[in-house]
C-alpha cells in the first residue's frame, strides 16, 4: 500500500514540475513590464530640442494624460512609427518626445521631414533620462497619467493596430 | 629573461586587442578591490537587450551605458547593494542572474531545497525498509532449508 502511494507520488511530482516548466518556459522575456510601472516619472532637468534655453523638468508631464515617446533620428523604426503618432495627435492625445542620444540638428531635421506630433521634446543627447526610464532601445513609449505616474509602457514600434487596440484604450482608461 | 618579456608583451597585446575587438573598454582603477567589484558587478547583471549576455561582455549600447553607470557609482563610493538597487529600479529584477529572495521568488529558491529534502527522506525510508527486511531472523524452517542446500553443495 505504502509502496503504491510512493509510486503514485512520482508521476505526480513529474507532472507538477512539467507544468511549472511549461508555464515558465513559454513566457516571453522580451515582453516583460517596465520596472517603472506605477511609479512616478523619474525626475530630470533638461532643455528642449527646439530651444536650448528652455529648461524643463518632470512637472512638464503633470496635469494631463501624456504619451512620452522616446525616439532618435538614428532609429529606423521611429520613422515608421511617426504616422501612428500623428494619428494619435489627431485624437487629441498630448505627446511629449524624448529625443534620445541624438544630435540637435538631426533631430530637428527628422521632425521637419516626418512630422511633429509633439507638444515639446526633451533633449537627451547623453541618454541620461533614457537610462532613468530603463530604455534600452528606441522607440519606447510611456503613458503618464495626470499625476505624473507611469501607467503603460509600449516597447518598440507602435503599429497601426496598436494605436486602436492598445494605446487609445489605455489613454481613455487613465483620462 | 628576454623571452619572458617578449611573451609578456605578446600576452598584453592579445588581451588588449581582444578587449578592443569586443568593444569592451579598459578601465583604470587605482584600487584593485574596486576593480574586482567592477568585474563582479558587471558579470552579475544581464544585458536587458541581448538577454543572454552579462553587461560585462556585451557590445550592446545599453550594456556600455550600464557599465559606465556602474563605474561612475563605484567612483562615487556607493556600495554593491546600492549599485544593484540603482540598476534594478530602472531595468527590473530581470537583469539579475541571481534573483533576490522575495515573495515572487520563494518558489524559485525553495523548490530545489524542498526537492533535495524530499529525496533525502525517500532515501532514508528506503534504507530503513531494507534494514528491517534484512534484520529479520530466519525461521527454523528457513534455516533448515539453507543448511540442506549448503550441505548438498558440499557433498557433491
Amino acid at each position: 500500500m505504502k509502496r503504491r502511494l510512493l509510486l503514485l507520488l512520482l508521476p505526480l511530482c513529474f507532472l507538477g514540475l512539467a507544468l511549472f516548466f511549461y508555464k515558465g518556459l513559454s513566457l516571453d522575456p522580451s515582453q516583460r513590464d517596465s520596472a517603472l510601472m506605477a511609479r512616478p516619472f523619474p525626475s530630470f532637468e533638461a532643455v528642449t530640442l527646439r530651444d536650448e534655453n528652455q529648461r524643463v523638468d518632470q512637472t512638464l508631464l503633470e496635469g494631463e494624460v501624456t504619451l512620452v515617446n522616446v525616439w532618435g533620428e538614428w532609429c529606423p523604426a521611429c520613422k515608421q512609427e511617426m504616422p501612428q503618432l500623428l494619428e494619435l495627435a489627431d485624437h487629441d492625445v498630448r505627446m511629449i518626445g524624448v529625443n534620445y542620444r541624438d544630435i540637435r540638428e538631426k533631430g530637428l531635421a527628422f521632425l521637419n521631414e516626418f512630422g511633429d506630433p509633439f507638444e515639446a521634446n526633451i533633449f537627451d543627447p547623453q541618454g541620461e533620462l533614457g537610462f532613468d526610464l530603463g530604455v534600452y532601445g528606441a522607440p519606447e513609449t510611456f503613458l503618464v497619467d495626470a499625476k505624473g505616474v507611469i501607467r503603460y509602457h509600449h516597447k518598440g514600434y507602435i503599429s497601426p493596430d496598436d494605436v486602436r487596440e492598445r494605446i487609445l484604450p489605455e489613454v481613455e482608461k487613465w483620462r | 629573461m628576454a623571452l619572458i618579456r617578449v611573451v609578456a608583451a605578446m600576452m598584453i597585446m592579445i588581451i588588449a586587442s581582444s578587449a578592443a575587438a569586443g568593444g569592451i573598454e579598459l578601465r583604470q582603477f587605482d584600487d584593485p578591490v574596486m576593480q574586482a567589484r567592477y568585474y563582479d558587478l558587471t558579470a552579475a547583471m544581464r544585458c536587458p537587450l541581448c538577454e543572454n549576455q552579462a553587461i560585462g561582455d556585451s557590445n550592446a549600447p545599453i550594456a556600455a551605458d550600464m557599465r559606465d553607470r556602474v563605474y561612475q557609482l563605484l567612483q562615487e563610493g556607493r556600495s554593491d547593494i546600492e549599485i544593484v538597487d540603482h540598476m534594478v529600479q530602472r531595468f527590473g529584477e530581470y537583469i539579475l542572474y541571481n534573483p533576490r529572495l522575495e515573495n515572487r521568488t520563494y518558489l524559485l529558491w525553495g523548490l530545489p531545497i524542498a526537492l533535495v529534502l524530499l529525496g533525502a527522506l525517500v532515501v532514508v525510508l528506503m534504507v530503513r525498509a531494507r534494514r528491517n527486511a534484512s534484520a529479520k531472523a530466519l525461521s527454523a524452517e528457513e534455516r533448515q532449508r539453507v543448511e540442506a542446500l549448503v550441505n548438498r553443495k558440499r557433498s557433491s
Side-chain angles (χ1 to χ4, degrees), chain A residues 20 23-24 40 43 47 58 76 78-79 102 105 107 120 128:
Chain A
F20 182 68
K23 176 82 171 48
S43 56
V47 295
Q58 63 279 2
C78 299
K79 292 170 190 153
D102 211 346
E105 292 71 34
E128 283 154 349

Side-chain angles (χ1 to χ4, degrees), chain B residues 87-155:
Chain B
M87 295 302 193
V88 167
Q89 267 171 28
R90 286 156 180 79
F91 299 96
E93 290 281 331
Y94 174 83
I95 61 159
L96 299 181
Y97 279 117
N98 248 337
R100 297 192 279 203
L101 187 60
E102 57 176 48
N103 285 343
R104 245 159 32 100
T105 56
Y106 275 142
L107 193 59
L108 183 69
W109 285 104
L111 195 62
I113 298 168
L115 285 177
V116 165
L117 289 178
L118 193 72
L121 191 72
V122 167
V123 168
V124 166
L125 287 177
M126 278 171 69
V127 166
R128 240 192 222 174
R130 190 166 292 180
R131 188 182 293 157
N132 282 347
S134 62
K136 230 187 274 167
L138 294 176
S139 69
E141 197 185 333
E142 283 168 330
R143 188 175 293 274
Q144 247 177 12
R145 271 180 63 199
V146 170
E147 268 166 14
L149 283 169
V150 171
N151 289 338
R152 195 171 63 185
K153 189 87 183 163
R154 275 207 193 123
S155 61

Side-chain angles (χ1 to χ4, degrees), chain A residues 20 32 35 101 132 134-136, chain B residues 48 62 65 90-92 94 107:
Chain A
F20 182 68
R32 61 193 184 274
R101 286 197 163 279
D132 287 344
V135 166
Y136 50 88
Chain B
I62 186 63
D65 284 357
R90 286 156 180 79
F91 299 96
Y94 174 83
L107 193 59

Side-chain angles (χ1 to χ4, degrees), chain A:
Chain A
M1 189 58 210
K2 224 178 182 181
R3 176 159 296 210
R4 202 167 278 177
L5 211 72
L6 260 168
L7 279 173
L8 197 70
L9 207 67
L10 217 64
L12 274 177
C13 275
F14 175 78
L15 212 71
L17 271 178
L19 272 172
F20 182 68
F21 285 127
Y22 179 76
K23 176 82 171 48
L25 292 172
S26 55
L27 292 172
D28 181 356
S30 72
Q31 290 306 313
R32 61 193 184 274
D33 270 347
S34 161
L36 280 91
M37 204 62 88
R39 296 252 190 90
F41 197 87
S43 56
F44 66 95
E45 267 182 52
V47 295
T48 62
L49 177 64
R50 288 202 186 274
D51 183 356
E52 56 187 310
N53 296 315
Q54 191 191 348
R55 303 202 62 83
V56 286
D57 61 22
Q58 63 279 2
T59 56
L60 178 69
L61 302 163
E62 288 164 13
E64 195 184 335
V65 172
T66 306
L67 212 56
V68 179
N69 180 254
V70 181
W71 64 278
E73 184 272 342
W74 47 269
C75 149
C78 299
K79 292 170 190 153
Q80 294 175 2
E81 188 179 66
M82 197 45 102
Q84 284 76 264
L85 296 184
L86 291 165
E87 187 190 336
L88 282 164
D90 285 342
H91 282 91
D92 291 324
V93 178
R94 180 184 188 234
M95 263 180 280
I96 298 284
V98 176
N99 183 229
Y100 176 61
R101 286 197 163 279
D102 211 346
I103 294 159
R104 193 183 288 274
E105 292 71 34
K106 288 191 172 180
L108 289 170
F110 179 95
L111 293 180
N112 283 337
E113 188 177 348
F114 297 98
D116 183 359
F118 302 113
E119 189 177 299
N121 272 283
I122 300 158
F123 188 46
D124 188 28
Q126 303 299 319
E128 283 154 349
L129 175 56
F131 196 90
D132 287 344
L133 279 168
V135 166
Y136 50 88
E140 284 193 33
T141 306
F142 297 85
L143 183 72
V144 183
D145 72 12
K147 286 182 179 151
V149 177
I150 292 176
R151 292 303 185 180
Y152 175 73
H153 177 219
H154 192 97
K155 194 156 27 197
Y157 164 78
I158 295 172
S159 70
D161 286 345
D162 289 336
V163 171
R164 282 183 299 277
E165 287 162 21
R166 294 173 198 276
I167 311 290
L168 283 174
E170 285 291 336
V171 171
E172 282 313 312
K173 189 171 153 191
W174 297 104
R175 252 180 186 160

